[in-house]
Amino acid sequence: MRAIPGAARAYILVTALCAAACAQPALRDAGSTPWLAAGLLAALYALCELPARCRVLGRSLNGSVPVAAGSFFPVLLAAALLLPPAAAALVAVPGALLGRIEQRPRSARRIWRAAQLALATWAAARAQMVFGGPVALGGGGYGLTVPDFPYVLLPAGAAALAFCLVVTALDGSILVVAERMDPRTAWRGLLASSLAPHAAHGLAGLMMAVLWRSPYGPLSALLVLLPMYISCWVFAQYHRERAAHQATIRALVQAVDIKDTYTRGHSERVGHASVLIAREMGMERERIEVLRFAGILHDVGKLGVPTRVLRKDGPLTPEERRVIELHPEYGHEMVRGIAFLGEARGAILHHHERLDGSGYPYGLAGDRIPEFARVVAVADAFDAMTSTRSYRRGRPVATAVAELERCAGTQFDPAMVRALVRALDRHGWRTAVTADEETAPSAPASPSTPSGPASPPAPGPRGNVPSARTTEPGAAAGAYRTAGPRTTDTRAPGGVSRGGRR
C-alpha cells in the first residue's frame, strides 16, 4: 500500500466497504441464498482466472493464455441473471482475488479489483430485476417456465449496461484519485470503448443462464465458455502480433533518426500526413494502417547510406547524390521479407518516382507508380518543406501547398495533392523542428499559416549554409526532384542542393 497515495487508499477502502455492504444480505439470510449455484459460479470464475497465475500456462506459452481483464465477464453476468444481487456480488470475489496482477502493490490492487467487480455484478443483478429478469428467464411467475424470448434480451441488456457503467465509472475515478489525472481525461472514451465488449459479454452470459436453467443443467453452460475462451485467445494473439509489428517499425525508425539527425521526427510526420491523405480519399481502414507504415518507413534505406554523406555540412557532390539516391532500393531490400508491410514495400521503393517519369530509381510514370508511393511522395515533400531543420527554416504551410499544387501533374499526383489540401483545411498542420531544436530557428507552431514570404534561413550549428533550392520561393519542386545526375540544380551553390537528403 505504500506506493499508493493516501487518498487512493481511502478510496479503495470505501469501495471495498460498499461491496461488502452489497454482499452482506446474502450472509445475513444464509438460509435463503442459493449457495450451490453461487459456489459453482464462483468456482468457475476462479478457475477461469487461475491459468494466468500458472507457471506452465501463463509463462511457458509466452503469455498466450487469454488473461486480459474481461475475458470471463460472461460468468459474472450469468451470475447476475441467475442469482439474487447479494449472492451475485460474492461470485466475483474469489476469482478477482486469485487473478493475475502485474503491478505492485498487488494486495491493494486485488482488493480494488474484487470490490469493483462485486459492485458491478451487484448493479447488473439489480438492473435485470427491475426489468423482470427472473420471470423472463423462466424462473417462475406468470406461468413461465422457459425463457421468454425476445423479451429476456431487455433485462440481459440492462444487466450488461449497468455492469459496464459501474466498471468504467470506477476505472475513471481511481485514475483521478490515484494518478491525479484530470477527470475529463480519465473518463474520455472509456464508456464508448467498453459498450460493445460488454454487450457481447452480456449475450454470452444470457446464453449461459439459459443453458443453466435448461434440462441439461449447469454443465451445459460450460459450452458457452469454450468459444469465448478461443475468441479471447485469438484476440490476444492479434494484439500481441500487432505490438510486435509496432516494435519492429519503431526500432527501424529510431535507427534512421539516430543515423540521420537532420530529419529526426520526419518519418512519423510523413506517416501522419499519408494517413490524412488516405482518409480523404476514402481508403479502407486496413490499407490506411499499411500506408501509415509506408510513410513511417519510407526512408529506412538511409541505414545503408554512409553516415558521412547523410551528415555532410556542405553541398553534396554528384557521386554522393547518387549514393543517397540508392536509399529506396536499400529500404526495399531491408523490408522485403516483412510480410505484414504488404503494399508499403512498393511505396518505400518508388516514393521518389515522378509523375512525368523523371524520378528514380526506375523512372516510372503516371499510374505505373504504385498508389501508396504517390501518396507518400506528396506527404514527404510537404513535411520536408514545412519542417524547420538545423540548416534552414521551414516554409509556411500555404507556401508549401502552393508549391505542391504548382508541381501537381508533373511531379506529384494531383488527386493526392487535392486530398492533402482538404485534410489540411479540416485538421490543420503543426510544423516542427526535426533536429538540433535548441539551435534551429523556431517554426510556426500553429496550424494556421502566416502570411508573407518565409524568413531567410539561419546557419546551422556547424556553419551549414543551405542551398538556394531550399530557400528560394518557388524552388521547392526542384528541392524534391532527386532523379540522378539529370536533376542537378544550377541555382544551388556547389552544384547540388541538400534536398537530396530528404
Side-chain angles (χ1 to χ4, degrees), residues 231-438:
S231 65
C232 288
W233 181 83
V234 172
F235 192 67
Q237 291 295 96
Y238 166 77
H239 279 279
R240 191 170 294 108
E241 184 177 358
R242 181 182 171 87
H245 294 172
Q246 299 284 1
T248 299
I249 291 172
R250 190 160 50 246
L252 289 171
V253 171
Q254 287 175 348
V256 174
D257 285 348
I258 290 171
K259 185 164 188 175
D260 186 9
T261 56
Y262 284 114
T263 56
R264 185 173 300 144
H266 169 67
S267 298
E268 287 84 354
R269 290 194 301 278
V270 172
H272 175 62
S274 298
V275 168
L276 293 179
I277 295 172
R279 286 175 178 165
E280 287 296 324
M281 298 184 66
M283 284 190 187
E284 297 176 356
R285 184 175 180 179
E286 293 77 11
R287 293 190 74 210
I288 291 177
E289 181 69 4
V290 176
L291 180 58
R292 186 176 72 87
F293 291 158
I296 291 174
L297 293 176
H298 73 285
D299 274 344
V300 70
K302 287 184 176 179
L303 292 174
V305 176
T307 305
R308 61 176 178 79
V309 176
L310 291 175
R311 298 187 180 183
K312 183 178 179 181
D313 289 339
L316 302 175
T317 67
E319 180 61 31
E320 290 168 338
R321 179 69 167 268
R322 283 191 291 271
V323 170
I324 280 189
E325 287 174 357
L326 291 173
H327 80 269
E329 295 176 274
Y330 290 156
H332 182 261
E333 188 65 26
M334 289 176 185
V335 303
R336 187 170 58 180
I338 305 179
F340 72 85
L341 288 179
E343 290 182 84
R345 296 193 293 267
I348 292 169
L349 178 61
H350 296 295
H351 70 278
H352 279 301
E353 304 283 4
R354 289 170 53 102
L355 221 61
D356 60 8
S358 63
Y360 66 89
Y362 299 127
L364 301 183
D367 290 339
R368 293 185 60 198
I369 304 172
E371 183 182 26
F372 277 20
R374 284 177 273 146
V375 172
V376 172
V378 172
D380 185 20
F382 175 74
D383 182 70
M385 282 190 281
T386 56
S387 58
T388 293
R389 299 180 181 173
S390 59
Y391 52 82
R392 61 135 172 94
R393 183 184 292 274
R395 293 163 181 254
V397 171
T399 302
V401 167
E403 194 63 31
L404 290 175
E405 291 174 336
R406 187 178 72 83
C407 299
T410 55
Q411 183 174 354
F412 306 116
D413 188 324
M416 312 302 179
V417 174
R418 288 193 296 269
L420 178 62
V421 172
R422 292 195 303 270
L424 293 175
D425 289 341
R426 185 175 304 176
H427 304 288
W429 184 259
R430 184 176 180 85
T431 55
V433 173
T434 55
D436 300 318
E437 252 183 271
E438 65 278 359

Side-chain angles (χ1 to χ4, degrees), residues 22 42 47-48 89 97 113 118 120 123 140 149 151 155 168 184 223 240 374 386 410 429-430 481:
C22 291
L47 285 173
C48 290
L97 293 176
R113 181 75 172 155
F149 284 99
Y151 181 79
T168 54
R184 289 175 297 181
L223 298 176
R240 191 170 294 108
R374 284 177 273 146
T386 56
T410 55
W429 184 259
R430 184 176 180 85
R481 189 188 331 139

Side-chain angles (χ1 to χ4, degrees), residues 116-176:
Q116 180 191 37
L117 292 181
L119 286 174
T121 308
W122 179 88
R126 279 289 179 190
Q128 64 93 20
M129 290 181 68
V130 171
F131 291 94
V135 175
L137 199 59
Y142 300 100
L144 287 174
T145 57
V146 295
D148 182 16
F149 284 99
Y151 181 79
V152 72
L153 294 174
L154 180 60
L161 179 60
F163 191 95
C164 178
L165 289 173
V166 173
V167 167
T168 54
L170 291 175
D171 277 340
S173 61
I174 195 64
L175 290 175
V176 172

